Amino acid sequence: VEGICIDDHILKKLSIEFAEKLDDIESQIYELCGKPFNINSPRQLGQILFEELELPHGRKTKTGYSTDVKVLEKLAPKHPLPALVLEYRTLAKLQSTYVDKLSSLRDTTTGRIHTSFNQAVTATGRLSSTNPNLQNIPIKGEDGHKIRQAFIPAKGCVFISADYSQIDLRVLAHYSQDAALLEAFNGGADIHARTATQIFGVSPLFITPDMRRVAKSINFGIVYGM
């Protein structure tokens, strides 16, 4: 396998940038709580959220209160702390899983990352990638985009991206003969952007990438039985 080139300098800069961001978020969290604590400890976080701040919580177990993503997302509108903790966890995962780890996986001889592709692991029959999982490099959000910039083509080469353009929805349009879907595809429209205009009730000119992603989830969710 040829492997893929990465720019170690970009990763080193990102490591410093992410560390500074984490320190800033950590300071904001401590300021809100009035004291430092182990943000990565579900038990300590649970005590802060549910006993000291008295936010609504679920059933308490032997190990303490649940502080998973779903719980924090529900609490986010009620207090700024849960949203900051979610931001902290996301950034910390990007830092440890990608920014710091990718450099260590780079082959010292080729300067490239050589992933392993598995043909008979996933239930869907698709290829999977391990050590590292290059199929799971984050694309959503500014921080994920910065990580992807560390992957570079070899000298004299370029990256080309290609996929089946909304093949699932095109098959759906064919079999359902849905007028709106047929019109969109026959007219060369962006089906996800069009759905976004209907969901959010705004002009196509005001559709943001995040709004389009929401519409995409809805479109494919319906196809796959959501």
Side-chain angles (χ1 to χ4, degrees), residues 157-211:
C157 298
V158 295
F159 284 143
I160 294 178
S161 175
D163 65 16
Y164 294 108
S165 180
Q166 296 140 7
I167 187 67
D168 316 66
L169 295 174
R170 292 176 187 274
V171 171
L172 177 66
H174 171 73
Y175 280 106
S176 69
Q177 289 297 298
D178 180 82
L181 284 175
L182 291 173
E183 179 190 353
F185 285 126
N186 288 332
D190 182 334
I191 189 64
H192 300 315
R194 174 169 290 194
T195 299
T197 63
Q198 296 174 339
I199 292 175
F200 296 102
V202 298
S203 163
L205 298 174
F206 296 104
I207 297 300
T208 65
D210 284 337
M211 293 165 74

Side-chain angles (χ1 to χ4, degrees), residues 55-116:
L55 293 172
H57 58 79
R59 185 171 60 87
K60 186 177 182 180
T61 65
K62 292 181 179 179
T63 56
Y65 303 100
S66 172
T67 58
D68 63 17
V69 173
K70 289 183 179 179
V71 171
L72 294 179
E73 286 177 343
K74 286 182 180 179
L75 294 174
K78 303 178 186 297
H79 195 279
L81 180 59
L84 280 173
V85 172
L86 282 171
E87 186 179 353
Y88 181 90
R89 283 182 179 176
T90 300
L91 196 60
K93 183 175 181 180
L94 292 179
Q95 173 86 309
S96 61
T97 306
Y98 299 107
V99 176
D100 292 339
K101 191 174 181 181
L102 285 174
S103 293
S104 67
L105 292 173
R106 188 164 62 104
D107 188 280
T108 54
T109 304
T110 65
R112 296 173 176 233
I113 286 180
H114 300 268
T115 188
S116 297

Side-chain angles (χ1 to χ4, degrees), residues 10-11 17 20-21 32 37-38 42 49 53 84 86 90 120 126 128 141 145-146 150 157 161 208 217 221:
I10 290 179
L11 291 174
E17 179 185 329
E20 291 175 349
K21 280 186 179 181
L32 278 173
F37 68 99
N38 183 357
L49 291 172
L53 296 178
L84 280 173
L86 282 171
T90 300
R126 293 181 178 182
S128 66
H145 181 66
K146 287 179 179 178
C157 298
S161 175
T208 65
S217 297

Side-chain angles (χ1 to χ4, degrees), residues 110-170:
T110 65
R112 296 173 176 233
I113 286 180
H114 300 268
T115 188
S116 297
F117 288 105
N118 312 296
Q119 291 182 296
V121 174
T122 64
T124 59
R126 293 181 178 182
L127 283 176
S128 66
S129 167
T130 53
N131 197 34
N133 182 356
L134 295 182
Q135 294 172 316
N136 206 32
I137 303 297
I139 192 171
K140 297 178 182 178
E142 182 184 356
D143 293 325
H145 181 66
K146 287 179 179 178
I147 293 173
R148 284 175 171 258
Q149 289 180 332
F151 292 86
I152 56 175
K155 187 175 181 180
C157 298
V158 295
F159 284 143
I160 294 178
S161 175
D163 65 16
Y164 294 108
S165 180
Q166 296 140 7
I167 187 67
D168 316 66
L169 295 174
R170 292 176 187 274

